Amino acid sequence: MREWHTLTTGPLETRALGRRLGQLAKPGLVVLLAGDLGAGKTCFAQGVADGLGTPADTPVTSPSYTLLNIHCGRLPLYHFDLYRLSAVADLEDLGYDELAEGDGLTLVEWADRLSTPPPASLRVELRHIDATRRELRFQADDTDGEKLLAALAGAANTL
Ligand code: ADP
Ligand code: MG
C-alpha cells in the first residue's frame, strides 16, 4: 500500500495510530512527520513512544530548544524536532545519519523544513481540520513502508 489517509477525532485517536505504528515498527525504521504547529505531530509521536514501551516518566514533548531526544523502549526512539533547525549542518552535527542508519526508530517532526528530506520508509502529513479533527495522510516510500502501511491501515478500525 503506497498511500492511505484517515481522519482522527481527538488526540487519543491520533495517539492510538501512533501507538500501533510503534508496535509494528522494525529496527531502522525512519518516519517523517509534516504539518503546521498544533497539527498533532507530537501527539502522534507520543503514541509511537507508547507503542515502543518507553517509560512514562520521560514523556515525549515538543521541546523548544532541543532538536533531539532519545527514549528507550523495545527499540530506541530518536525523536527529532527540527522546528528550530537553522542549517542542514545542524542535522549532521546531531549525528542524524548514524542514528537513522542504526537499529532504532527515527521520527522526525518538521521534516519539511529540510530542503532535501532524508530517506524514510514512511511520511505522515497531518492537517488541522477543526478543534478536534485532524487528517493524517500516510505515504510509503519503500517496500518496508508499504508493508507497514498495509498493517497500520488494516488495524485502524480495531484501534
Ligand atoms: P505539533 O507537534 O504538530 O505542533 P501537538 O501534537 O503538539 O502538535 O499539538 C496538537 C494539539 O491539538 C494538542 O493540544 C492536542 O490536544 C490537539 N488536538 C485536538 N484534536 C486532535 C487530534 N485529532 N489529533 C491530535 N491532536 C489533536
Ligand atoms: Mg511538535
PDB file of all heavy atoms in Angstrom, residues 7-15 33-46 61-62 79 81 109-110 126 128 130-136, ligand 1:
ATOM      1  N   LEU A   7      -9.035  10.186   9.147  1.00  0.00           N
ATOM      2  CA  LEU A   7      -9.393  11.352   9.945  1.00  0.00           C
ATOM      3  C   LEU A   7      -9.452  10.903  11.398  1.00  0.00           C
ATOM      4  O   LEU A   7     -10.037   9.854  11.688  1.00  0.00           O
ATOM      5  CB  LEU A   7     -10.774  11.823   9.486  1.00  0.00           C
ATOM      6  CG  LEU A   7     -11.135  13.286   9.703  1.00  0.00           C
ATOM      7  CD1 LEU A   7     -10.300  14.175   8.795  1.00  0.00           C
ATOM      8  CD2 LEU A   7     -12.616  13.492   9.397  1.00  0.00           C
ATOM      9  N   THR A   8      -8.828  11.653  12.298  1.00  0.00           N
ATOM     10  CA  THR A   8      -8.962  11.328  13.714  1.00  0.00           C
ATOM     11  C   THR A   8      -9.806  12.406  14.388  1.00  0.00           C
ATOM     12  O   THR A   8      -9.783  13.564  13.984  1.00  0.00           O
ATOM     13  CB  THR A   8      -7.598  11.240  14.420  1.00  0.00           C
ATOM     14  OG1 THR A   8      -6.945  12.518  14.368  1.00  0.00           O
ATOM     15  CG2 THR A   8      -6.718  10.187  13.779  1.00  0.00           C
ATOM     16  N   THR A   9     -10.543  11.975  15.387  1.00  0.00           N
ATOM     17  CA  THR A   9     -11.335  12.920  16.190  1.00  0.00           C
ATOM     18  C   THR A   9     -10.783  12.882  17.610  1.00  0.00           C
ATOM     19  O   THR A   9     -11.024  11.928  18.336  1.00  0.00           O
ATOM     20  CB  THR A   9     -12.823  12.520  16.173  1.00  0.00           C
ATOM     21  OG1 THR A   9     -13.245  12.474  14.813  1.00  0.00           O
ATOM     22  CG2 THR A   9     -13.669  13.554  16.909  1.00  0.00           C
ATOM     23  N   GLY A  10      -9.992  13.871  17.932  1.00  0.00           N
ATOM     24  CA  GLY A  10      -9.410  13.966  19.272  1.00  0.00           C
ATOM     25  C   GLY A  10      -8.015  13.374  19.327  1.00  0.00           C
ATOM     26  O   GLY A  10      -7.672  12.474  18.560  1.00  0.00           O
ATOM     27  N   PRO A  11      -7.184  13.886  20.256  1.00  0.00           N
ATOM     28  CA  PRO A  11      -5.797  13.453  20.375  1.00  0.00           C
ATOM     29  C   PRO A  11      -5.641  11.968  20.682  1.00  0.00           C
ATOM     30  O   PRO A  11      -4.655  11.351  20.265  1.00  0.00           O
ATOM     31  CB  PRO A  11      -5.236  14.314  21.510  1.00  0.00           C
ATOM     32  CG  PRO A  11      -6.388  15.007  22.139  1.00  0.00           C
ATOM     33  CD  PRO A  11      -7.501  15.010  21.170  1.00  0.00           C
ATOM     34  N   LEU A  12      -6.607  11.381  21.375  1.00  0.00           N
ATOM     35  CA  LEU A  12      -6.458   9.960  21.726  1.00  0.00           C
ATOM     36  C   LEU A  12      -6.443   9.088  20.480  1.00  0.00           C
ATOM     37  O   LEU A  12      -5.740   8.081  20.423  1.00  0.00           O
ATOM     38  CB  LEU A  12      -7.575   9.518  22.680  1.00  0.00           C
ATOM     39  CG  LEU A  12      -7.489  10.090  24.101  1.00  0.00           C
ATOM     40  CD1 LEU A  12      -8.636   9.560  24.966  1.00  0.00           C
ATOM     41  CD2 LEU A  12      -6.141   9.786  24.744  1.00  0.00           C
ATOM     42  N   GLU A  13      -7.222   9.470  19.477  1.00  0.00           N
ATOM     43  CA  GLU A  13      -7.246   8.681  18.238  1.00  0.00           C
ATOM     44  C   GLU A  13      -5.935   8.811  17.472  1.00  0.00           C
ATOM     45  O   GLU A  13      -5.431   7.834  16.905  1.00  0.00           O
ATOM     46  CB  GLU A  13      -8.430   9.117  17.356  1.00  0.00           C
ATOM     47  CG  GLU A  13      -9.759   8.594  17.875  1.00  0.00           C
ATOM     48  CD  GLU A  13     -10.902   8.844  16.896  1.00  0.00           C
ATOM     49  OE1 GLU A  13     -10.664   9.032  15.700  1.00  0.00           O
ATOM     50  OE2 GLU A  13     -12.054   8.865  17.370  1.00  0.00           O
ATOM     51  N   THR A  14      -5.386  10.017  17.453  1.00  0.00           N
ATOM     52  CA  THR A  14      -4.095  10.214  16.775  1.00  0.00           C
ATOM     53  C   THR A  14      -3.013   9.425  17.509  1.00  0.00           C
ATOM     54  O   THR A  14      -2.165   8.767  16.911  1.00  0.00           O
ATOM     55  CB  THR A  14      -3.740  11.715  16.747  1.00  0.00           C
ATOM     56  OG1 THR A  14      -4.760  12.397  16.008  1.00  0.00           O
ATOM     57  CG2 THR A  14      -2.390  11.969  16.099  1.00  0.00           C
ATOM     58  N   ARG A  15      -3.097   9.481  18.820  1.00  0.00           N
ATOM     59  CA  ARG A  15      -2.122   8.765  19.638  1.00  0.00           C
ATOM     60  C   ARG A  15      -2.231   7.253  19.438  1.00  0.00           C
ATOM     61  O   ARG A  15      -1.213   6.548  19.379  1.00  0.00           O
ATOM     62  CB  ARG A  15      -2.377   9.132  21.105  1.00  0.00           C
ATOM     63  CG  ARG A  15      -1.199   8.891  21.984  1.00  0.00           C
ATOM     64  CD  ARG A  15      -1.424   9.475  23.373  1.00  0.00           C
ATOM     65  NE  ARG A  15      -0.460   8.889  24.249  1.00  0.00           N
ATOM     66  CZ  ARG A  15       0.237   9.548  25.155  1.00  0.00           C
ATOM     67  NH1 ARG A  15       0.052  10.839  25.324  1.00  0.00           N
ATOM     68  NH2 ARG A  15       1.110   8.920  25.913  1.00  0.00           N
ATOM     69  N   LEU A  33       7.472  13.326   9.867  1.00  0.00           N
ATOM     70  CA  LEU A  33       6.178  13.936  10.188  1.00  0.00           C
ATOM     71  C   LEU A  33       6.168  15.380   9.707  1.00  0.00           C
ATOM     72  O   LEU A  33       7.087  16.143  10.001  1.00  0.00           O
ATOM     73  CB  LEU A  33       5.933  13.919  11.702  1.00  0.00           C
ATOM     74  CG  LEU A  33       5.952  12.561  12.398  1.00  0.00           C
ATOM     75  CD1 LEU A  33       5.774  12.740  13.896  1.00  0.00           C
ATOM     76  CD2 LEU A  33       4.859  11.663  11.855  1.00  0.00           C
ATOM     77  N   ALA A  34       5.126  15.741   8.984  1.00  0.00           N
ATOM     78  CA  ALA A  34       5.000  17.110   8.495  1.00  0.00           C
ATOM     79  C   ALA A  34       3.645  17.658   8.914  1.00  0.00           C
ATOM     80  O   ALA A  34       2.712  16.909   9.203  1.00  0.00           O
ATOM     81  CB  ALA A  34       5.150  17.131   6.971  1.00  0.00           C
ATOM     82  N   GLY A  35       3.549  18.972   8.948  1.00  0.00           N
ATOM     83  CA  GLY A  35       2.280  19.611   9.308  1.00  0.00           C
ATOM     84  C   GLY A  35       2.533  20.823  10.181  1.00  0.00           C
ATOM     85  O   GLY A  35       3.555  20.910  10.854  1.00  0.00           O
ATOM     86  N   ASP A  36       1.583  21.752  10.173  1.00  0.00           N
ATOM     87  CA  ASP A  36       1.728  23.019  10.895  1.00  0.00           C
ATOM     88  C   ASP A  36       1.793  22.815  12.407  1.00  0.00           C
ATOM     89  O   ASP A  36       1.481  21.731  12.907  1.00  0.00           O
ATOM     90  CB  ASP A  36       0.542  23.935  10.585  1.00  0.00           C
ATOM     91  CG  ASP A  36       0.550  24.381   9.137  1.00  0.00           C
ATOM     92  OD1 ASP A  36       1.619  24.315   8.507  1.00  0.00           O
ATOM     93  OD2 ASP A  36      -0.527  24.783   8.646  1.00  0.00           O
ATOM     94  N   LEU A  37       2.129  23.884  13.097  1.00  0.00           N
ATOM     95  CA  LEU A  37       2.114  23.894  14.559  1.00  0.00           C
ATOM     96  C   LEU A  37       0.716  23.510  15.051  1.00  0.00           C
ATOM     97  O   LEU A  37      -0.281  24.053  14.573  1.00  0.00           O
ATOM     98  CB  LEU A  37       2.451  25.326  15.026  1.00  0.00           C
ATOM     99  CG  LEU A  37       3.081  25.509  16.383  1.00  0.00           C
ATOM    100  CD1 LEU A  37       4.411  24.775  16.466  1.00  0.00           C
ATOM    101  CD2 LEU A  37       3.288  26.998  16.666  1.00  0.00           C
ATOM    102  N   GLY A  38       0.644  22.566  15.965  1.00  0.00           N
ATOM    103  CA  GLY A  38      -0.640  22.143  16.511  1.00  0.00           C
ATOM    104  C   GLY A  38      -1.370  21.107  15.672  1.00  0.00           C
ATOM    105  O   GLY A  38      -2.493  20.719  15.996  1.00  0.00           O
ATOM    106  N   ALA A  39      -0.729  20.643  14.613  1.00  0.00           N
ATOM    107  CA  ALA A  39      -1.390  19.654  13.749  1.00  0.00           C
ATOM    108  C   ALA A  39      -1.493  18.289  14.424  1.00  0.00           C
ATOM    109  O   ALA A  39      -2.354  17.479  14.075  1.00  0.00           O
ATOM    110  CB  ALA A  39      -0.643  19.538  12.419  1.00  0.00           C
ATOM    111  N   GLY A  40      -0.593  18.017  15.378  1.00  0.00           N
ATOM    112  CA  GLY A  40      -0.656  16.744  16.091  1.00  0.00           C
ATOM    113  C   GLY A  40       0.568  15.861  15.924  1.00  0.00           C
ATOM    114  O   GLY A  40       0.533  14.675  16.276  1.00  0.00           O
ATOM    115  N   LYS A  41       1.666  16.427  15.441  1.00  0.00           N
ATOM    116  CA  LYS A  41       2.878  15.624  15.224  1.00  0.00           C
ATOM    117  C   LYS A  41       3.392  15.037  16.537  1.00  0.00           C
ATOM    118  O   LYS A  41       3.719  13.859  16.620  1.00  0.00           O
ATOM    119  CB  LYS A  41       3.981  16.486  14.569  1.00  0.00           C
ATOM    120  CG  LYS A  41       3.579  17.067  13.215  1.00  0.00           C
ATOM    121  CD  LYS A  41       4.680  17.922  12.591  1.00  0.00           C
ATOM    122  CE  LYS A  41       5.007  19.183  13.356  1.00  0.00           C
ATOM    123  NZ  LYS A  41       3.877  20.117  13.500  1.00  0.00           N
ATOM    124  N   THR A  42       3.470  15.891  17.557  1.00  0.00           N
ATOM    125  CA  THR A  42       3.981  15.404  18.841  1.00  0.00           C
ATOM    126  C   THR A  42       3.016  14.407  19.467  1.00  0.00           C
ATOM    127  O   THR A  42       3.428  13.409  20.060  1.00  0.00           O
ATOM    128  CB  THR A  42       4.258  16.583  19.794  1.00  0.00           C
ATOM    129  OG1 THR A  42       5.257  17.411  19.196  1.00  0.00           O
ATOM    130  CG2 THR A  42       4.755  16.111  21.139  1.00  0.00           C
ATOM    131  N   CYS A  43       1.728  14.665  19.301  1.00  0.00           N
ATOM    132  CA  CYS A  43       0.701  13.742  19.793  1.00  0.00           C
ATOM    133  C   CYS A  43       0.900  12.345  19.174  1.00  0.00           C
ATOM    134  O   CYS A  43       0.890  11.326  19.865  1.00  0.00           O
ATOM    135  CB  CYS A  43      -0.664  14.329  19.427  1.00  0.00           C
ATOM    136  SG  CYS A  43      -2.042  13.346  19.930  1.00  0.00           S
ATOM    137  N   PHE A  44       1.127  12.315  17.878  1.00  0.00           N
ATOM    138  CA  PHE A  44       1.392  11.066  17.169  1.00  0.00           C
ATOM    139  C   PHE A  44       2.685  10.429  17.701  1.00  0.00           C
ATOM    140  O   PHE A  44       2.735   9.226  17.972  1.00  0.00           O
ATOM    141  CB  PHE A  44       1.501  11.354  15.667  1.00  0.00           C
ATOM    142  CG  PHE A  44       1.624  10.132  14.811  1.00  0.00           C
ATOM    143  CD1 PHE A  44       0.495   9.439  14.411  1.00  0.00           C
ATOM    144  CD2 PHE A  44       2.874   9.671  14.411  1.00  0.00           C
ATOM    145  CE1 PHE A  44       0.599   8.301  13.616  1.00  0.00           C
ATOM    146  CE2 PHE A  44       2.986   8.533  13.621  1.00  0.00           C
ATOM    147  CZ  PHE A  44       1.850   7.852  13.217  1.00  0.00           C
ATOM    148  N   ALA A  45       3.713  11.261  17.892  1.00  0.00           N
ATOM    149  CA  ALA A  45       4.997  10.761  18.401  1.00  0.00           C
ATOM    150  C   ALA A  45       4.841  10.158  19.800  1.00  0.00           C
ATOM    151  O   ALA A  45       5.492   9.166  20.141  1.00  0.00           O
ATOM    152  CB  ALA A  45       6.024  11.896  18.415  1.00  0.00           C
ATOM    153  N   GLN A  46       3.966  10.749  20.612  1.00  0.00           N
ATOM    154  CA  GLN A  46       3.725  10.203  21.957  1.00  0.00           C
ATOM    155  C   GLN A  46       3.124   8.801  21.860  1.00  0.00           C
ATOM    156  O   GLN A  46       3.458   7.912  22.643  1.00  0.00           O
ATOM    157  CB  GLN A  46       2.793  11.141  22.726  1.00  0.00           C
ATOM    158  CG  GLN A  46       3.492  12.427  23.146  1.00  0.00           C
ATOM    159  CD  GLN A  46       2.545  13.524  23.601  1.00  0.00           C
ATOM    160  OE1 GLN A  46       1.340  13.482  23.314  1.00  0.00           O
ATOM    161  NE2 GLN A  46       3.075  14.507  24.296  1.00  0.00           N
ATOM    162  N   THR A  61       7.867  15.195  24.375  1.00  0.00           N
ATOM    163  CA  THR A  61       7.329  16.557  24.391  1.00  0.00           C
ATOM    164  C   THR A  61       7.732  17.280  23.118  1.00  0.00           C
ATOM    165  O   THR A  61       8.483  16.757  22.307  1.00  0.00           O
ATOM    166  CB  THR A  61       7.891  17.342  25.592  1.00  0.00           C
ATOM    167  OG1 THR A  61       9.320  17.286  25.525  1.00  0.00           O
ATOM    168  CG2 THR A  61       7.413  16.758  26.905  1.00  0.00           C
ATOM    169  N   SER A  62       7.222  18.497  22.961  1.00  0.00           N
ATOM    170  CA  SER A  62       7.656  19.385  21.884  1.00  0.00           C
ATOM    171  C   SER A  62       8.730  20.281  22.472  1.00  0.00           C
ATOM    172  O   SER A  62       8.432  21.337  22.995  1.00  0.00           O
ATOM    173  CB  SER A  62       6.493  20.276  21.431  1.00  0.00           C
ATOM    174  OG  SER A  62       5.945  19.810  20.251  1.00  0.00           O
ATOM    175  N   HIS A  79      13.814  10.902  18.582  1.00  0.00           N
ATOM    176  CA  HIS A  79      12.765  11.868  18.276  1.00  0.00           C
ATOM    177  C   HIS A  79      13.402  13.211  17.920  1.00  0.00           C
ATOM    178  O   HIS A  79      13.863  13.930  18.801  1.00  0.00           O
ATOM    179  CB  HIS A  79      11.824  12.001  19.483  1.00  0.00           C
ATOM    180  CG  HIS A  79      10.741  13.013  19.289  1.00  0.00           C
ATOM    181  ND1 HIS A  79      10.305  13.825  20.301  1.00  0.00           N
ATOM    182  CD2 HIS A  79      10.013  13.336  18.211  1.00  0.00           C
ATOM    183  CE1 HIS A  79       9.335  14.626  19.827  1.00  0.00           C
ATOM    184  NE2 HIS A  79       9.150  14.340  18.565  1.00  0.00           N
ATOM    185  N   ASP A  81      13.065  17.034  16.449  1.00  0.00           N
ATOM    186  CA  ASP A  81      12.116  18.117  16.227  1.00  0.00           C
ATOM    187  C   ASP A  81      12.907  19.244  15.574  1.00  0.00           C
ATOM    188  O   ASP A  81      13.710  19.904  16.231  1.00  0.00           O
ATOM    189  CB  ASP A  81      11.503  18.566  17.559  1.00  0.00           C
ATOM    190  CG  ASP A  81      10.371  19.554  17.349  1.00  0.00           C
ATOM    191  OD1 ASP A  81      10.521  20.458  16.499  1.00  0.00           O
ATOM    192  OD2 ASP A  81       9.343  19.425  18.038  1.00  0.00           O
ATOM    193  N   GLU A 109      10.012  15.290  13.387  1.00  0.00           N
ATOM    194  CA  GLU A 109       8.990  16.341  13.259  1.00  0.00           C
ATOM    195  C   GLU A 109       9.557  17.490  12.451  1.00  0.00           C
ATOM    196  O   GLU A 109      10.729  17.785  12.541  1.00  0.00           O
ATOM    197  CB  GLU A 109       8.586  16.880  14.642  1.00  0.00           C
ATOM    198  CG  GLU A 109       7.718  15.939  15.410  1.00  0.00           C
ATOM    199  CD  GLU A 109       7.086  16.614  16.629  1.00  0.00           C
ATOM    200  OE1 GLU A 109       6.558  17.737  16.525  1.00  0.00           O
ATOM    201  OE2 GLU A 109       7.126  15.986  17.696  1.00  0.00           O
ATOM    202  N   TRP A 110       8.709  18.154  11.703  1.00  0.00           N
ATOM    203  CA  TRP A 110       9.102  19.279  10.854  1.00  0.00           C
ATOM    204  C   TRP A 110      10.103  18.856   9.795  1.00  0.00           C
ATOM    205  O   TRP A 110      10.997  19.624   9.442  1.00  0.00           O
ATOM    206  CB  TRP A 110       9.691  20.427  11.688  1.00  0.00           C
ATOM    207  CG  TRP A 110       8.716  21.078  12.587  1.00  0.00           C
ATOM    208  CD1 TRP A 110       8.633  20.929  13.933  1.00  0.00           C
ATOM    209  CD2 TRP A 110       7.654  21.981  12.221  1.00  0.00           C
ATOM    210  NE1 TRP A 110       7.589  21.688  14.430  1.00  0.00           N
ATOM    211  CE2 TRP A 110       6.981  22.337  13.404  1.00  0.00           C
ATOM    212  CE3 TRP A 110       7.205  22.519  10.999  1.00  0.00           C
ATOM    213  CZ2 TRP A 110       5.889  23.201  13.414  1.00  0.00           C
ATOM    214  CZ3 TRP A 110       6.128  23.371  11.014  1.00  0.00           C
ATOM    215  CH2 TRP A 110       5.480  23.707  12.209  1.00  0.00           C
ATOM    216  N   LEU A 126       0.148  15.736   8.622  1.00  0.00           N
ATOM    217  CA  LEU A 126      -1.025  15.966   9.478  1.00  0.00           C
ATOM    218  C   LEU A 126      -1.603  17.336   9.168  1.00  0.00           C
ATOM    219  O   LEU A 126      -0.866  18.312   8.995  1.00  0.00           O
ATOM    220  CB  LEU A 126      -0.641  15.901  10.960  1.00  0.00           C
ATOM    221  CG  LEU A 126      -0.128  14.543  11.431  1.00  0.00           C
ATOM    222  CD1 LEU A 126       1.382  14.471  11.395  1.00  0.00           C
ATOM    223  CD2 LEU A 126      -0.600  14.244  12.856  1.00  0.00           C
ATOM    224  N   HIS A 128      -4.698  20.182  10.229  1.00  0.00           N
ATOM    225  CA  HIS A 128      -5.724  20.665  11.144  1.00  0.00           C
ATOM    226  C   HIS A 128      -7.028  20.857  10.365  1.00  0.00           C
ATOM    227  O   HIS A 128      -7.062  21.593   9.387  1.00  0.00           O
ATOM    228  CB  HIS A 128      -5.234  21.996  11.720  1.00  0.00           C
ATOM    229  CG  HIS A 128      -6.138  22.619  12.726  1.00  0.00           C
ATOM    230  ND1 HIS A 128      -7.289  23.280  12.381  1.00  0.00           N
ATOM    231  CD2 HIS A 128      -6.063  22.685  14.076  1.00  0.00           C
ATOM    232  CE1 HIS A 128      -7.876  23.730  13.472  1.00  0.00           C
ATOM    233  NE2 HIS A 128      -7.154  23.378  14.520  1.00  0.00           N
ATOM    234  N   ASP A 130     -10.411  20.957  12.275  1.00  0.00           N
ATOM    235  CA  ASP A 130     -11.064  21.873  13.224  1.00  0.00           C
ATOM    236  C   ASP A 130     -10.541  21.546  14.622  1.00  0.00           C
ATOM    237  O   ASP A 130      -9.534  20.838  14.751  1.00  0.00           O
ATOM    238  CB  ASP A 130     -12.606  21.806  13.104  1.00  0.00           C
ATOM    239  CG  ASP A 130     -13.156  20.421  13.416  1.00  0.00           C
ATOM    240  OD1 ASP A 130     -12.470  19.638  14.102  1.00  0.00           O
ATOM    241  OD2 ASP A 130     -14.277  20.125  12.978  1.00  0.00           O
ATOM    242  N   ALA A 131     -11.199  22.025  15.665  1.00  0.00           N
ATOM    243  CA  ALA A 131     -10.636  21.905  17.019  1.00  0.00           C
ATOM    244  C   ALA A 131     -10.267  20.477  17.390  1.00  0.00           C
ATOM    245  O   ALA A 131      -9.265  20.244  18.071  1.00  0.00           O
ATOM    246  CB  ALA A 131     -11.627  22.470  18.035  1.00  0.00           C
ATOM    247  N   THR A 132     -11.042  19.497  16.950  1.00  0.00           N
ATOM    248  CA  THR A 132     -10.771  18.118  17.376  1.00  0.00           C
ATOM    249  C   THR A 132     -10.384  17.185  16.232  1.00  0.00           C
ATOM    250  O   THR A 132      -9.960  16.057  16.490  1.00  0.00           O
ATOM    251  CB  THR A 132     -12.005  17.500  18.070  1.00  0.00           C
ATOM    252  OG1 THR A 132     -13.103  17.551  17.160  1.00  0.00           O
ATOM    253  CG2 THR A 132     -12.347  18.244  19.347  1.00  0.00           C
ATOM    254  N   ARG A 133     -10.555  17.612  14.996  1.00  0.00           N
ATOM    255  CA  ARG A 133     -10.293  16.689  13.894  1.00  0.00           C
ATOM    256  C   ARG A 133      -9.002  17.007  13.149  1.00  0.00           C
ATOM    257  O   ARG A 133      -8.665  18.156  12.922  1.00  0.00           O
ATOM    258  CB  ARG A 133     -11.472  16.681  12.920  1.00  0.00           C
ATOM    259  CG  ARG A 133     -12.719  16.014  13.529  1.00  0.00           C
ATOM    260  CD  ARG A 133     -13.829  15.922  12.526  1.00  0.00           C
ATOM    261  NE  ARG A 133     -14.178  17.233  12.026  1.00  0.00           N
ATOM    262  CZ  ARG A 133     -14.891  17.434  10.920  1.00  0.00           C
ATOM    263  NH1 ARG A 133     -15.305  16.422  10.202  1.00  0.00           N
ATOM    264  NH2 ARG A 133     -15.171  18.663  10.529  1.00  0.00           N
ATOM    265  N   ARG A 134      -8.271  15.929  12.816  1.00  0.00           N
ATOM    266  CA  ARG A 134      -7.045  16.049  12.051  1.00  0.00           C
ATOM    267  C   ARG A 134      -7.069  15.029  10.926  1.00  0.00           C
ATOM    268  O   ARG A 134      -7.490  13.894  11.136  1.00  0.00           O
ATOM    269  CB  ARG A 134      -5.820  15.758  12.924  1.00  0.00           C
ATOM    270  CG  ARG A 134      -5.695  16.625  14.166  1.00  0.00           C
ATOM    271  CD  ARG A 134      -5.348  18.067  13.826  1.00  0.00           C
ATOM    272  NE  ARG A 134      -5.058  18.860  15.008  1.00  0.00           N
ATOM    273  CZ  ARG A 134      -5.981  19.548  15.696  1.00  0.00           C
ATOM    274  NH1 ARG A 134      -7.260  19.524  15.309  1.00  0.00           N
ATOM    275  NH2 ARG A 134      -5.624  20.249  16.753  1.00  0.00           N
ATOM    276  N   GLU A 135      -6.576  15.451   9.765  1.00  0.00           N
ATOM    277  CA  GLU A 135      -6.407  14.489   8.674  1.00  0.00           C
ATOM    278  C   GLU A 135      -4.962  14.023   8.688  1.00  0.00           C
ATOM    279  O   GLU A 135      -4.039  14.833   8.794  1.00  0.00           O
ATOM    280  CB  GLU A 135      -6.707  15.154   7.330  1.00  0.00           C
ATOM    281  CG  GLU A 135      -6.615  14.178   6.183  1.00  0.00           C
ATOM    282  CD  GLU A 135      -6.599  14.872   4.829  1.00  0.00           C
ATOM    283  OE1 GLU A 135      -5.736  15.752   4.618  1.00  0.00           O
ATOM    284  OE2 GLU A 135      -7.451  14.550   4.006  1.00  0.00           O
ATOM    285  N   LEU A 136      -4.763  12.702   8.612  1.00  0.00           N
ATOM    286  CA  LEU A 136      -3.421  12.126   8.548  1.00  0.00           C
ATOM    287  C   LEU A 136      -3.259  11.434   7.208  1.00  0.00           C
ATOM    288  O   LEU A 136      -3.996  10.491   6.904  1.00  0.00           O
ATOM    289  CB  LEU A 136      -3.208  11.110   9.685  1.00  0.00           C
ATOM    290  CG  LEU A 136      -2.855  11.672  11.072  1.00  0.00           C
ATOM    291  CD1 LEU A 136      -4.070  12.301  11.733  1.00  0.00           C
ATOM    292  CD2 LEU A 136      -2.305  10.597  11.976  1.00  0.00           C
TER     293      LEU A 136
HETATM  294  P1  ADP B   1       2.515  19.623  16.726  1.00  0.00           P
HETATM  295  O1  ADP B   1       3.571  18.750  17.331  1.00  0.00           O
HETATM  296  O2  ADP B   1       2.140  19.225  15.322  1.00  0.00           O
HETATM  297  O3  ADP B   1       2.855  21.094  16.800  1.00  0.00           O
HETATM  298  P2  ADP B   1       0.958  18.842  19.026  1.00  0.00           P
HETATM  299  O4  ADP B   1       0.803  17.363  18.947  1.00  0.00           O
HETATM  300  O5  ADP B   1       1.967  19.385  19.970  1.00  0.00           O
HETATM  301  O6  ADP B   1       1.174  19.436  17.543  1.00  0.00           O
HETATM  302  O7  ADP B   1      -0.441  19.519  19.410  1.00  0.00           O
HETATM  303  C1  ADP B   1      -1.661  19.105  18.884  1.00  0.00           C
HETATM  304  C2  ADP B   1      -2.731  19.779  19.708  1.00  0.00           C
HETATM  305  O8  ADP B   1      -4.017  19.578  19.095  1.00  0.00           O
HETATM  306  C3  ADP B   1      -2.833  19.195  21.113  1.00  0.00           C
HETATM  307  O9  ADP B   1      -3.127  20.227  22.005  1.00  0.00           O
HETATM  308  C4  ADP B   1      -3.985  18.211  21.004  1.00  0.00           C
HETATM  309  O10 ADP B   1      -4.667  18.019  22.218  1.00  0.00           O
HETATM  310  C5  ADP B   1      -4.884  18.936  19.999  1.00  0.00           C
HETATM  311  N1  ADP B   1      -5.747  18.030  19.221  1.00  0.00           N
HETATM  312  C6  ADP B   1      -7.086  18.148  19.073  1.00  0.00           C
HETATM  313  N2  ADP B   1      -7.587  17.215  18.276  1.00  0.00           N
HETATM  314  C7  ADP B   1      -6.536  16.446  17.885  1.00  0.00           C
HETATM  315  C8  ADP B   1      -6.428  15.294  17.054  1.00  0.00           C
HETATM  316  N3  ADP B   1      -7.485  14.751  16.414  1.00  0.00           N
HETATM  317  N4  ADP B   1      -5.201  14.776  16.887  1.00  0.00           N
HETATM  318  C9  ADP B   1      -4.124  15.330  17.503  1.00  0.00           C
HETATM  319  N5  ADP B   1      -4.159  16.409  18.287  1.00  0.00           N
HETATM  320  C10 ADP B   1      -5.368  16.972  18.496  1.00  0.00           C
END
